[in-house]
């Protein structure tokens, strides 16, 4: 425990940053208009200011109460997200099945104790299942491999 | 058309073979995903959401609704057998359900909660059928000022009544509205926050946002935290399900009271089933002659919350269908699904699309009966599903999430949106920000802006129109009261903590 609440201080300051950036971008790029005829910038400007205000209140409250540092598992998050992004990058040029295998190879080890054999089995089963459900069953217009149509 | 004609029309629609099939599919997958720990109803609906794009709107909604109330049935199974609540609603059920299961009475608990869910669901549907037309007749008189006030009330209520910090919930609502701003401005056609990305011109896809925020973030948080599970299969066999006469006698009162409580809270904007479940549990404990039995496996303690949450699941459709204002994040997702199919929920839905409106409501009966059949004889199947190891489960779910996101537009960009919101969702968990208000803000934000701007155009820029029209003024006063009451109780809690320490 810390005398101040670091988790909410971080959260509050992030809100202030995002709110101000959003409001500033709206103010600089979009017309505000008048209250009767609002331009595209008025509503976002208001939202940004409100978010920054809420963030400031949260930060001030957090300065006056004890709390803990946030905890997380960056490795797990990184592997899962990398798998999803790899899937997105692979699906157009390489096809669905390579994309599925890439996703599994990257994300499955996030659990830690998975064997290579299990990963291979997952790749085969899920590729087959996806082909059956999405291509045969639902008729989704998606290529299985880069050479097929 | 009289109410009977409407019900017959609805029954006709709901009994069409295709709708029956997808209703079954919905409740089946809903139960399946509800049973799987670490995946709540929001993740379930958002994952199966893209599949429904290929269906007729009525069929799609019947299936999505089935998924939703199916997860409530399934979630209680996990709560009772493993003490892992999938949702806050089931957390209440776990309080007495898990002790019952430890005493070897898991079968009884599962049987009784299924019955409780069924009765609660039925009461909710009856209220929905009778109250929706009444609500519509009021709603037809609402103008933009009233709608603005109602949406604001819904958003504020969702942040103040839910557990956790109000400031944080409100901030997430605002962040959600900001996310909803992305895309083309409907008044001026200006492109806002699109950064020249063509895929962002018509905004962020609700399916991608929900899958990232709930599906991916939940998966990241559950990896390495869901252990291997052991279970005594004998206690959940069909023969072990027979409740005693004493169980039945004790259950009657809680079911009746919880039906009323659940229905009431379900229909309120922003409150949702969890509050109904908590309230009815609290009430039963207070009314009980032996309150010390609660938490030790009291049958009343599982009947009350399960009845209440299923009643609330059904009455939550009242504001969504009649006003077009969802009360909870799940309802917001249902609303998003309707809009994807080109249907605008609101007071005109009932007269313009009677087949859809009544067909959906009548399908709830069919779905609830199906769940009764699915859950009691097939409980062994669900228990086996429960035992699937997580290291096989989560890659499977990820594959389906990615294909689902891609299939919405056949555009890889939507997959990156899923990843981005998965990251955001995980960071929000780390910093203890709730995700549901963000989704609610995202869906309601564009409506809030539209009605606000229209009200200002109509009043020629005079903001006092919001407080001079009586309905709008009273709704706004209620909103202010909620905020004030919340600030006051937070201040009191702070003072109490300060004096307690000093």
């Amino acid at each position: 425990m810390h005398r101040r609440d670091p988790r909410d201080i971080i959260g509050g300051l992030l809100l202030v940053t995002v709110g101000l950036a959003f409001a500033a971008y709206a103010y600089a790029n979009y017309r505000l208009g008048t209250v009767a005829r609002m331009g595209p910038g008025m509503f976002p400007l208001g939202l940004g200011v409100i978010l920054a205000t809420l963030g400031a209140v949260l930060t001030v409250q957090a300065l006056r109460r004890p709390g803990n540092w946030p905890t997380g598992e960056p490795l797990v998050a990184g592997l899962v997200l990398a798998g999803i992004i790899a899937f997105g990058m692979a699906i157009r040029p390489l096809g669905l099945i390579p994309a599925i295998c890439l996703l599994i190879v990257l994300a499955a080890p996030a659990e830690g104790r998975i064997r290579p054999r299990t990963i291979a089995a997952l790749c085969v089963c899920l590729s087959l299942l996806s082909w059956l459900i999405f291509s045969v069953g639902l008729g989704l217009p998606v290529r299985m491999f880069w050479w097929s149509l | 058309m009289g109410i009977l004609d409407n019900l017959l029309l609805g029954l006709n629609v709901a009994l069409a073979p295709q709708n029956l099939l997808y209703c079954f599919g919905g409740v089946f997958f809903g139960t399946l995903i509800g049973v799987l720990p670490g995946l709540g109803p929001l993740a379930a609906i958002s994952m199966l959401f893209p599949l429904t794009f290929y269906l007729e709107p009525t069929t799609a909604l019947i299936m999505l609704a089935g998924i939703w109330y199916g997860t409530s049935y399934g979630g209680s199974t996990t709560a009772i057998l493993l003490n892992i609540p999938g949702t806050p609603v089931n957390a209440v059920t776990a309080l007495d359900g898990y002790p019952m299961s430890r005493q070897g009475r898991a079968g009884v608990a599962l049987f009784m909660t299924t019955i409780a869910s069924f009765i609660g669901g039925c009461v909710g549907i009856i209220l929905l059928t009778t109250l929706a037309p009444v609500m519509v007749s009021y709603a037809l008189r609402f103008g933009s000022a009233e709608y603005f006030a109602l949406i604001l009330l819904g958003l504020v209520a969702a942040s103040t009544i839910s557990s956790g910090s109000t400031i944080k919930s409100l901030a997430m609502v605002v962040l959600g509205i900001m996310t909803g701003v992305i895309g083309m401005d409907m008044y001026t056609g200006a492109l806002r926050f699109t950064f020249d990305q063509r895929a962002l011109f018509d905004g962020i896809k609700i399916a991608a946002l929900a899958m990232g925020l709930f599906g991916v973030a939940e998966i990241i948080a559950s990896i390495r935290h869901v252990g291997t599970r052991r279970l005594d299969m004998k206690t959940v066999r069909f023969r072990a399900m027979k409740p005693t006469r004493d169980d039945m006698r004790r259950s009657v009162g809680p079911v009746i009271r919880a039906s009323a409580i659940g229905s009431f809270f379900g229909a309120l904007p922003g409150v949702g089933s969890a509050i109904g479940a908590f309230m009815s549990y609290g009430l039963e404990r207070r009314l009980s002659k032996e309150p010390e039995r609660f938490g030790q496996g009291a049958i009343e303690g599982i009947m009350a919350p399960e009845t209440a949450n299923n009643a609330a699941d059904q009455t939550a459709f009242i504001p969504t269908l009649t006003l077009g204002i969802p009360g909870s994040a799940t309802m917001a997702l249902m609303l998003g699904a309707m809009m994807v199919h080109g249907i605008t929920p609101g007071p005109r839905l009932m007269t313009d699309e009677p087949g859809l409106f009544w067909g959906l409501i009548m399908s709830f009966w069919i779905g609830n009966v199906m769940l009764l059949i699915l859950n009691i004889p097939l409980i062994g199947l669900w228990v086996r599903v429960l035992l699937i190891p997580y290291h096989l489960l989560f890659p499977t779910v990820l594959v389906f999430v990615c294909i689902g996101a891609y299939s919405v537009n056949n555009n890889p960009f939507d997959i990156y949106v899923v990843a981005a919101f998965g990251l955001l969702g995980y960071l929000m968990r780390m910093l203890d920000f709730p995700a549901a208000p963000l989704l609610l803000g995202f869906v309601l934000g564009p409506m809030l802006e539209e009605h606000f701007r229209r009200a200002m155009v109509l009043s020629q820029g005079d903001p006092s129109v919001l407080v001079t029209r009586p309905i709008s003024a009273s709704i706004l006063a209620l909103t202010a009261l909620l905020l004030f009451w919340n600030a006051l109780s937070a201040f009191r809690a702070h003072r109490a903590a300060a004096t307690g320490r000093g």
Side-chain angles (χ1 to χ4, degrees):
Chain A
M1 286 288 265
H2 292 258
R3 221 158 49 77
R4 306 179 195 289
D5 187 350
R7 196 180 57 188
D8 278 6
I9 293 173
I10 297 172
L13 292 178
L14 276 175
L15 292 179
V16 173
T17 318
V18 172
L20 289 181
F22 194 82
Y25 190 87
Y27 184 76
N29 291 289
Y30 310 120
R31 208 168 38 80
L32 292 184
T34 63
V35 178
R37 293 232 159 264
M38 281 183 225
M42 179 85 85
F43 194 71
L45 176 70
L47 289 175
V49 172
I50 294 173
L51 190 72
T53 314
L54 289 170
V57 174
L58 185 65
T59 314
V60 171
Q61 285 180 344
L63 286 172
R64 298 209 233 127
R65 66 166 172 243
N68 294 312
W69 282 94
T71 52
E73 294 189 51
L75 182 68
V76 171
L79 284 172
V80 170
L81 294 175
I84 297 173
I85 291 167
F87 182 96
M89 293 193 338
I91 192 158
R92 274 276 174 83
L94 297 181
L96 180 65
I97 288 171
I100 289 176
C101 296
L102 264 175
L103 167 63
I104 294 170
V105 167
L106 279 168
E111 179 77 33
R113 48 173 175 218
I114 193 160
R115 283 174 302 177
R117 216 173 51 197
T118 320
I119 294 182
L122 270 174
C123 287
V124 173
C125 293
L126 288 175
S127 297
L128 202 66
L129 202 65
S130 311
W131 175 67
L132 279 174
I133 295 178
F134 293 98
S135 198
V136 178
L138 293 168
L140 221 63
V142 55
R143 280 194 307 185
M144 290 298 118
F145 290 101
W146 61 93
W147 61 79
S148 55
L149 284 171
Chain B
M1 267 204 297
I3 183 94
L4 211 62
D5 293 324
N6 283 329
L7 294 183
L8 279 176
L9 169 72
L11 205 58
N12 239 335
V13 174
L15 284 174
Q18 195 194 7
N19 292 343
L20 270 182
L21 181 71
Y22 281 98
C23 183
F24 179 78
V27 295
F28 182 85
F29 284 113
T31 312
L32 180 72
I33 299 183
V35 167
L36 298 175
L39 286 173
L42 279 164
I45 297 182
S46 51
M47 270 168 49
L48 298 169
F49 193 50
L51 286 185
T52 65
F53 289 175
Y54 298 91
L55 305 173
E56 294 270 302
T58 311
T59 316
L61 283 179
I62 287 176
M63 177 165 174
L64 285 172
I67 296 169
W68 186 39
Y69 52 79
T71 52
S72 302
Y73 277 75
S76 61
T77 308
T78 328
I80 290 170
L81 293 179
L82 300 173
N83 203 17
I84 303 172
T87 59
V89 179
N90 301 125
V92 192
T93 311
L95 291 179
D96 277 281
Y98 187 61
M100 278 184 80
S101 147
R102 292 290 295 274
Q103 294 155 13
R105 287 174 25 94
V108 178
L110 291 169
F111 178 81
M112 291 304 276
T113 50
T114 307
I115 302 288
S117 301
F118 182 72
I119 298 174
C122 291
V123 173
I125 303 170
I126 292 170
L127 282 171
L128 170 61
T129 316
T130 46
L131 289 181
V134 181
M135 203 63 211
V136 164
S137 62
Y138 274 102
L140 281 169
R141 281 180 263 157
F142 286 3
S144 273
E146 283 77 22
Y147 270 108
F148 170 77
L150 264 175
I151 296 168
L152 201 65
L153 172 66
L155 290 172
V156 168
S159 347
T160 48
I161 297 175
S162 67
S163 56
S165 152
T166 306
I167 297 269
K168 286 176 147 183
S169 302
L170 278 176
M172 287 306 103
V173 166
V174 178
L175 195 65
I177 303 176
M178 283 160 68
T179 319
V181 164
I182 296 171
M184 193 180 289
D185 175 23
M186 65 202 119
Y187 272 79
T188 60
L191 292 168
R192 297 190 288 186
F193 299 95
T194 53
F195 305 103
D196 291 330
Q197 289 287 327
R198 182 162 279 282
L200 284 176
F201 285 4
D202 49 351
I204 292 204
K205 301 282 174 302
I206 182 172
L209 178 138
M211 280 195 274
L213 210 52
F214 300 101
V216 175
E218 268 180 28
I219 287 171
I220 298 174
S222 307
I223 291 174
R224 295 189 189 181
H225 291 279
V226 180
T228 323
R229 299 166 284 260
R230 277 161 217 286
L231 209 60
D232 182 8
M233 289 294 283
K234 255 180 274 164
T235 58
V236 289
R237 273 192 314 205
F238 194 54
R239 240 175 301 153
M241 285 190 157
K242 199 166 170 290
T244 62
R245 194 171 286 268
D246 183 53
D247 288 333
M248 302 292 262
R249 191 180 51 78
R250 285 177 186 278
S251 299
V252 177
V255 166
I256 295 172
R257 285 184 290 267
S259 298
I261 293 173
S263 303
F264 176 73
F265 283 102
L268 292 185
V271 184
S273 6
I275 304 288
F278 274 110
M279 296 290 257
S280 54
Y281 184 83
L283 179 73
E284 290 313 321
R285 191 165 56 185
R286 199 162 303 164
L287 287 179
S288 170
K289 289 191 191 80
E290 318 141 86
E292 66 280 357
R293 282 176 54 247
F294 280 77
Q296 310 290 326
I299 187 111
E300 298 95 317
I302 58 171
M303 297 307 277
E306 282 300 313
T307 313
N309 86 54
N310 283 278
D313 280 358
Q314 307 295 352
T315 53
F317 278 96
I318 296 176
T320 313
L321 290 175
T322 61
L323 299 171
I325 299 174
S328 64
T330 335
M331 280 293 123
L333 214 49
M334 294 290 297
L335 192 83
M338 292 188 214
M339 294 198 288
V340 166
H341 285 284
I343 299 160
T344 323
R348 270 176 216 93
L349 182 71
M350 204 170 79
T351 42
D352 289 357
E353 304 256 9
L356 185 148
F357 187 89
W358 295 105
L360 181 63
I361 292 181
M362 293 315 280
S363 83
F364 295 166
W365 286 111
I366 298 168
N368 273 287
V369 172
M370 284 175 176
L371 280 167
L372 201 60
I373 300 167
L374 270 178
N375 273 275
I376 293 177
L378 290 183
I379 190 70
L381 173 73
W382 304 123
V383 173
R384 250 175 228 120
V385 166
L386 205 63
L387 300 175
I388 295 176
Y390 200 70
H391 68 267
L392 298 180
L393 188 66
F394 85 86
T396 313
V397 174
L398 280 177
V399 166
F400 282 94
V401 163
C402 285
I403 300 178
Y406 179 72
S407 70
V408 175
N409 274 2
N410 284 322
N411 190 346
F413 188 85
D414 289 322
I415 300 174
Y416 305 139
V417 174
V418 170
F421 279 96
L423 179 63
L424 177 69
Y426 187 61
L427 289 179
M428 281 163 54
R429 268 168 191 267
M430 279 171 65
L431 296 171
D432 200 26
F433 282 103
L438 198 156
L439 180 68
L440 205 59
F442 175 75
V443 171
L444 287 175
M447 295 158 70
L448 187 76
E449 178 177 11
E450 186 191 344
H451 287 297
F452 183 59
R453 282 165 80 170
R454 190 185 293 157
M456 288 303 112
V457 169
L458 292 175
S459 73
Q460 287 158 349
D462 179 13
S464 71
V465 66
L466 297 174
V467 289
T468 47
R469 293 174 62 121
I471 301 179
S472 154
S474 31
I475 299 170
L476 284 178
L478 190 62
T479 313
L481 204 69
L482 261 178
L483 277 176
F484 176 74
W485 170 69
N486 202 267
L488 194 73
S489 56
F491 177 71
R492 281 212 186 123
H494 183 76
R495 268 248 305 255
T499 45
R501 238 182 311 154

